[in-house]
Amino acid sequence: MLTVALPKGRIADETLEIFSKIFDDKFEFEDRKLTMKKGNFEFLMVRNQDIGTYVTNGAADIGVVGLDVLEEHQVDVLRLLDLKLGVCKVCIGIKNNDTLDYSKPEIKIATKMPNITRNYFAKKATGVKIIKLYGSIELAPIVGLSDAIVDIVETGTTMKQNGLKVAETIMDSSAHLISNKNSFIVKREEIFSLYHKINAVINSKISLKSYV
Ligand code: PRP
C-alpha cells in the first residue's frame, strides 16, 4: 500500500489523470472527501504548502509538490521525478514604469515566499525588507505597500492586468514526485514500479506533443 499526498487543485487533477491512464480506471475524489482508496493506493488531498510535512513525517509515502514549495520550505525528502505539470516561474514583479533600484539600502518586497526572496537577494548582497502576505500579492506595489513583489507567474495575466511586469526570474518550477526517505527504502519496489509507469505516461505525452 502506498499513501500519496496530492496538492488540492489542478495539479491533483492532472496527477490523478496520470493514474487513470496507468491503471485504466477512474481515480477521483468524492466531493469534499479528503481521502480516496483505490487498489494499492490511498490518496490524501492536502494544501500545497503542507505536502512536505505529510511526506517528511511519513504520513504519506510519496507526494506531488511544486519545486518552488520544496525550495521555500527546505523539505527533507527525495526528489524522484519532474512531472512537467504546474509549470511556472518565481519572479520579481514591479510596476510597468519602474525599475528595480539596487542602489536603495533596502528594497521592500511583498511575497508569500520569504525564504526564496531572502536567499536570492542575499546572493546579490542587497538588503530587503520582506512583507509577508498570504495572497493577492500583486496588489502590494500598486497601493505602495512594497517596491516590488516575488510571486508565481504562470500565464502572466495577473501581473499584466494589475499593471506589473517581470523584472527578474528567480527560478523555474514544476510539480515533482517526492518520496519519504524511509519509505523509499522499505517500499522501494512499489515506488520504483510506480515511478516507471508515471515516467512512461509523461514521456508519451511529450512525444505526442512534438507530433501535434
Ligand atoms: C497565483 C500567484 C499569482 C497568480 C499567477 O496566485 O500568486 O497571483 O497565481 O498566475 P498567472 O500568471 O497565470 O496570472 P493564486 O491563484 O494561487 O492566488 P493567491 O493570490 O491567493 O495566492
Side-chain angles (χ1 to χ4, degrees):
M1 179 70 121
L2 275 183
T3 308
V4 189
L6 297 179
K8 278 183 181 173
R10 201 162 56 83
I11 291 180
D13 296 343
E14 290 186 22
T15 307
L16 290 172
E17 258 174 49
I18 295 180
F19 275 83
S20 298
K21 270 196 194 123
I22 293 174
F23 298 100
D24 198 19
D25 200 349
K26 218 166 95 180
F27 283 74
E28 255 175 35
F29 276 82
E30 260 173 59
D31 197 23
R32 315 225 14 129
K33 211 160 175 249
L34 301 173
T35 59
M36 183 223 330
K37 276 198 179 135
K38 188 106 193 172
N40 286 331
F41 301 99
E42 177 164 30
F43 296 90
L44 311 178
M45 192 59 87
V46 169
R47 274 293 291 266
N48 197 24
Q49 293 89 341
D50 295 332
I51 297 274
T53 307
Y54 279 82
V55 177
T56 312
N57 290 293
D61 298 303
I62 57 175
V64 174
V65 68
L67 211 53
D68 54 307
V69 178
L70 289 180
E71 194 74 20
E72 177 62 25
H73 298 284
Q74 295 296 314
V75 186
D76 188 24
V77 292
L78 295 172
R79 216 178 273 182
L80 300 183
L81 183 65
D82 182 356
L83 299 179
K84 313 232 161 68
L85 309 171
V87 176
C88 61
K89 289 173 189 294
V90 178
C91 295
I92 303 173
I94 51 170
K95 286 197 278 187
N96 276 336
N97 45 7
D98 269 4
T99 47
L100 198 58
D101 184 3
Y102 278 101
S103 68
K104 269 188 161 186
E106 196 177 63
I107 304 175
K108 270 197 279 178
I109 309 263
T111 186
K112 52 185 166 191
M113 294 175 280
N115 294 326
I116 291 178
T117 306
R118 210 171 285 117
N119 293 340
Y120 183 76
F121 284 96
K123 280 188 199 132
K124 291 178 172 283
T126 301
V128 282
K129 177 171 193 253
I130 291 171
I131 297 160
K132 173 83 170 77
L133 295 177
Y134 294 90
S136 302
I137 318 291
E138 289 83 356
L139 194 56
I142 303 173
V143 296
L145 180 62
S146 71
D147 302 315
I149 60 169
V150 167
D151 200 15
I152 299 290
V153 176
E154 203 177 323
T155 60
T157 313
T158 313
M159 277 212 193
K160 204 170 169 193
Q161 290 193 356
N162 290 290
L164 305 182
K165 64 179 178 190
V166 171
E168 285 171 33
T169 296
I170 297 181
M171 66 178 283
D172 292 307
S173 180
S174 57
H176 279 59
L177 183 69
I178 56 168
S179 171
N180 171 275
K181 286 183 168 173
N182 190 47
S183 300
F184 191 69
I185 298 166
V186 180
K187 300 186 178 180
R188 194 179 172 86
E189 271 166 32
E190 277 173 85
I191 292 176
F192 256 108
S193 155
L194 181 65
Y195 166 94
H196 287 300
K197 285 172 182 153
I198 294 179
N199 204 14
V201 172
I202 295 169
N203 288 333
S204 71
K205 266 195 198 167
I206 291 168
S207 54
L208 251 181
K209 261 187 208 159
S210 57
Y211 284 110
V212 179

